[in-house]
């Protein structure tokens, strides 16, 4: 009876679904969010870029025109599973070619409700409920920190429906005065490797909803508000709290959680790519005679101390926003905080209580560290740095027939081939001195464990005392000198990247490629405008990673670029 009811609800959602269309001209504009004016990337002349707000079951159609003139581009829909539409994932080198200047490409996919599992193919697979907080951003040339990002909110079935009095979208980010191509060229240079230990550029400011200190949220006493917090940053994680206000965490990365209380002496945190929704109960009318600060701080350990550096004089890792009860009252400074008590997201539990996936059919162990390759600061997984293929890896899976199950086809992309519906366990050992937020495309994974910093590496067995209903999300911070273990079911045929979401590290090769159920990808029809992007860019769209159609298992030679060549 319950299954029948779920089918009826899903059918009703689909019947009410709408087509949400956008026509985007991506181009340059100027902005000064911290007072320093600089070129930024906007959409239709707008910065920040627009929010997409849809319902579960809606079809999103976005026509993108690249008007940048001097850069290619592409849009990744961060957290969207793209069930049946893997070619819409928007990852240059993974699922598409870059969109050349003065060219267009259309993204077209459905945000699907939960439906019964059916016979698998790329166009007809188990579809997950994607209600929650997501975002979109460029996945090309390390581009999104220059401004090409925006929130993506999917509504439907929220457990807090009818219990809130308003909601706010909050973005947290580090901000830079120089443009990304300039900084990437400096970062991926012999001079940086030899003279600066290969360290990353440092941000110039922290921003809360694109302001260091002027964002406000108008609230009333004795009300409950939902804050959708999205970390759209490039490098450090962010810790945050509302002064004298408790928070209740109810969602992470599109997964509803069992309510998790964060008291007024604790803080929460998010890392690049993560989202977290919190309920805040405002104070009573007596306490609401004044306003209260929201405090955000970038992780100075990641930016400096874990890399053996000290912050430069005058560096400010903090940003402030405010809950405004009384618009005539002053906006207070945040409280001085000397110690932080961060809650641990591994201790959250999904509201749906999905049980631990077992037994494991396929285990992957990823040992990663920094690497000096040809005097360039790179990262390597199991000794190999990722180098972007000429043919997008998904296109290789589609066009190489039965050879698509052989990792050789995919070149130097750190490929791992998975069988359909296998329970996959991935162990990530962080041999680097710093933390790394790993994001998996196409899935929300179970988080079995994560060690503390310098907590040691995987011993060969997973402890038996992990949660019976582990938290799920799509982005997880892995601690330096430690490891993390995640699991997911390979029920979404496609080619999905697993990568560090620090853009410096994405651009320097900290990426693995998950080739999922390739036998179900043979002969899939990619939209013609996507293939046309390859042709305009002079790139092949069939064959192995270098476009070899006649001998896809033949040798493939790559070089490490001295700067990003995307």
């Amino acid at each position: 009876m319950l299954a029948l009811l779920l089918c009826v609800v899903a059918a009703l959602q689909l019947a009410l679904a709408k087509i949400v269309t956008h026509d985007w001209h991506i181009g340059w504009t100027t902005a000064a969010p911290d007072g320093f004016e600089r070129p930024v990337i906007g959409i239709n002349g707008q910065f920040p870029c627009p929010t997409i707000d849809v319902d579960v079951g809606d079809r999103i159609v976005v026509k993108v025109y690249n008007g940048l003139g001097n850069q290619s581009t592409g849009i990744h829909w961060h957290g969207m599973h793209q069930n049946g539409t893997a070619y819409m994932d928007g990852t240059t080198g993974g699922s598409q070619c870059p969109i050349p200047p003065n060219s267009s490409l259309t993204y077209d996919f459905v945000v699907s409700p939960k439906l019964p599992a059916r016979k698998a193919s790329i166009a007809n697979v188990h579809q997950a409920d994607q209600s929650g907080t997501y975002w979109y951003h460029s996945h090309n040339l390390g581009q999104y920190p220059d401004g090409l990002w925006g929130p993506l909110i999917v509504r439907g079935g929220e457990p807090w429906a009818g219990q809130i009095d308003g909601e706010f979208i909050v973005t947290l980010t580090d901000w830079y005065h120089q443009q990304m191509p300039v900084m990437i060229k400096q970062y991926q240079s012999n001079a940086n490797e030899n003279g600066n230990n290969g360290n990353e550029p440092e941000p110039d400011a922290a921003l809360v909803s694109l302001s260091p200190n002027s964002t406000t949220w108008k609230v009333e006493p004795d009300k409950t508000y939902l804050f959708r917090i999205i970390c759209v940053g490039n490098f450090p994680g962010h810790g945050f709290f509302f002064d004298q206000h408790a928070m209740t965490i109810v969602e992470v990365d599109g997964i509803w959680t069992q309510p998790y209380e964060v008291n007024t002496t604790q803080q929460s945190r998010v890392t690049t790519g993560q989202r977290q929704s919190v309920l805040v109960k405002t104070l009573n009318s007596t306490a609401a005679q004044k306003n209260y600060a929201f405090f955000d701080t970038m992780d100075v350990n990641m930016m400096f101390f874990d890399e053996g550096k000290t912050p430069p004089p005058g560096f400010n890792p903090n940003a402030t926003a405010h809950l405004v009860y009384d618009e005539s009252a002053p906006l207070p400074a945040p409280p001085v905080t000397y110690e932080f008590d961060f809650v641990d997201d591994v201790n959250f539990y999904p509201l749906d209580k999905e049980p631990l996936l077992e037994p494991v059919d396929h285990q992957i162990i990823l040992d990663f560290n920094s690497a000096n390759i040809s005097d360039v600061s790179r990262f390597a997984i199991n000794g190999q740095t990722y180098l972007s293929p000429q043919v997008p890896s998904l296109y290789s899976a589609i066009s190489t027939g039965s050879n698509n199950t052989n990792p050789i086809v995919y070149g130097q992309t750190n490929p791992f081939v998975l069988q359909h519906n296998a329970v996959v366990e991935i162990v990530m050992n962080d041999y680097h001195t710093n933390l790394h937020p790993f994001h998996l495309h196409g899935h929300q994974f179970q988080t079995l464990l994560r060690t503390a910093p310098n907590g040691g590496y995987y011993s060969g067995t997973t402890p038996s005392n992990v949660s019976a209903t582990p938290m799920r999300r799509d982005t997880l911070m892995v601690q330096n000198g430690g490891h993390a273990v995640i699991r997911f079911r390979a029920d979404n045929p496609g080619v999905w990247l697993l990568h560090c979401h620090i853009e410096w590290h994405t651009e320097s090769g900290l990426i693995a490629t998950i080739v999922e159920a390739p036998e179900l990808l043979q002969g899939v029809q990619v939209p013609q405008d996507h293939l046309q992007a390859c042709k305009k860019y002079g790139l092949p769209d069939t064959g192995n990673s270098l476009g070899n159609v006649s001998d896809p298992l033949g040798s493939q030679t790559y070089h490490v670029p001295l700067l990003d060549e995307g």
Side-chain angles (χ1 to χ4, degrees), residues 9 32 70 126 159 180 220 226 268 292 310 316 376 402 447 455 470 476 499 534 556:
V9 171
N70 61 343
H126 169 73
M180 286 297 289
E220 297 178 3
L226 177 74
S268 191
Y292 294 84
T310 57
N316 182 10
V376 175
S402 60
T447 302
L476 178 70
H499 64 95
C534 299
Q556 300 162 75

Side-chain angles (χ1 to χ4, degrees), residues 252-253 274 344-350 354 356-357 426 428 438 444-451 462 466-477 483-488:
V252 295
D253 294 0
Q274 288 184 334
D344 187 348
D345 61 330
V346 177
N347 295 328
F348 303 164
Y349 298 98
E354 178 186 88
L356 175 67
L357 293 171
I426 298 181
M428 294 174 282
F438 268 81
Q444 289 150 322
F445 50 76
Q446 295 183 338
T447 302
L448 276 66
L449 65 90
R450 176 183 55 207
T451 68
T462 301
V466 300
S467 171
T469 58
M471 190 57 232
R472 300 196 309 280
R473 63 183 321 153
D474 58 47
T475 307
L476 178 70
M477 182 69 88
H483 71 278
V485 180
I486 64 174
R487 286 183 191 172
F488 64 95

Side-chain angles (χ1 to χ4, degrees), residues 115-138:
L115 295 175
R118 296 174 290 180
K119 183 178 178 181
S121 74
I122 192 171
N124 191 8
V125 297
H126 169 73
Q127 299 179 12
D129 189 332
Q130 291 262 257
S131 174
T133 306
Y134 303 90
W135 62 304
Y136 64 86
H137 60 84
S138 171

Side-chain angles (χ1 to χ4, degrees), residues 34-359:
D34 67 338
F36 180 89
E37 186 172 85
R38 51 151 292 179
V40 297
I41 299 175
I43 292 176
N44 298 337
Q46 174 185 342
F47 177 83
C49 296
T51 296
I52 294 180
D53 198 315
V54 298
D55 297 311
V56 168
D58 284 352
R59 178 181 173 189
I60 298 175
V61 181
V62 181
K63 182 178 180 180
V64 172
Y65 175 79
N66 180 6
L68 292 170
N70 61 343
Q71 293 183 25
S72 59
T73 194
I75 301 292
H76 169 54
W77 311 94
H78 186 114
M80 292 287 98
H81 293 172
Q82 298 294 354
N83 296 88
T85 51
Y87 39 76
M88 296 295 174
D89 192 46
T91 56
T92 295
S95 61
Q96 69 168 72
C97 291
I99 307 172
N102 306 314
S103 299
S104 297
L105 183 148
T106 298
Y107 296 97
D108 186 342
F109 59 94
V110 174
V111 183
S112 300
K114 192 180 292 295
L115 295 175
R118 296 174 290 180
K119 183 178 178 181
S121 74
I122 192 171
N124 191 8
V125 297
H126 169 73
Q127 299 179 12
D129 189 332
Q130 291 262 257
S131 174
T133 306
Y134 303 90
W135 62 304
Y136 64 86
H137 60 84
S138 171
H139 214 296
N140 183 68
L141 292 170
Q143 194 173 65
Y144 81 76
D146 279 340
L148 187 46
W149 55 262
L152 170 56
I153 308 302
V154 181
R155 303 182 185 278
E158 294 84 356
W160 55 81
Q163 303 174 31
I164 64 172
D165 299 289
E167 70 172 67
F168 303 96
I169 298 173
V170 182
T171 60
L172 306 179
T173 187
D174 46 331
W175 187 252
Y176 301 79
H177 292 167
Q178 287 188 304
Q179 294 179 53
M180 286 297 289
V182 174
M183 292 189 290
I184 289 172
K185 183 176 181 179
Q186 294 170 348
Y187 173 55
Q188 292 283 273
S189 69
N190 298 153
N192 186 57
E193 176 66 12
N194 296 321
N196 192 37
N197 297 316
N199 287 332
E200 302 85 356
E202 298 158 4
D204 293 290
L207 304 178
V208 177
S209 295
L210 288 175
S211 173
N213 53 23
S214 63
T215 294
T216 59
W217 305 295
K218 184 67 176 74
V219 296
E220 297 178 3
D222 294 310
K223 302 287 187 180
T224 299
Y225 295 90
L226 177 74
F227 289 81
R228 297 179 183 265
I229 297 168
I230 309 173
C231 188
V232 300
N234 174 8
F235 184 13
H238 290 248
F240 61 89
F241 64 91
F242 293 87
D243 184 28
Q244 300 180 50
H245 291 68
M247 299 182 288
T248 302
I249 297 170
V250 293
E251 180 220 346
V252 295
D253 294 0
I255 296 294
W256 301 331
T257 67
Q258 296 183 35
Y260 190 99
E261 302 299 324
V262 183
N263 65 44
T264 56
T265 66
Q266 294 176 304
Q267 303 82 34
S268 191
R269 56 185 170 184
V270 286
T271 186
T272 55
Q274 288 184 334
R275 293 85 66 209
Q276 186 176 116
S277 292
V278 301
L279 296 177
V280 174
K281 178 72 166 62
T282 54
L283 305 180
N284 61 35
S285 56
T286 301
Q289 301 300 310
K290 62 178 184 177
N291 303 317
Y292 294 84
F294 171 87
F295 178 77
D296 168 56
T297 185
M298 298 187 293
D299 190 336
V300 293
N301 289 322
M302 290 182 67
M303 293 184 290
F304 301 106
F305 303 119
D306 287 342
E307 299 195 337
K309 302 188 298 182
T310 57
F315 182 83
N316 182 10
N318 306 326
T320 309
H322 290 90
L323 296 174
V324 175
Y325 288 90
D326 183 350
E327 292 178 306
S328 65
L331 300 178
V336 177
T337 303
Y338 294 102
E339 293 185 1
F340 293 97
D341 180 17
F342 293 115
V343 297
D344 187 348
D345 61 330
V346 177
N347 295 328
F348 303 164
Y349 298 98
L351 191 62
D352 63 9
K353 299 181 180 179
E354 178 186 88
L356 175 67
L357 293 171
E358 53 186 351

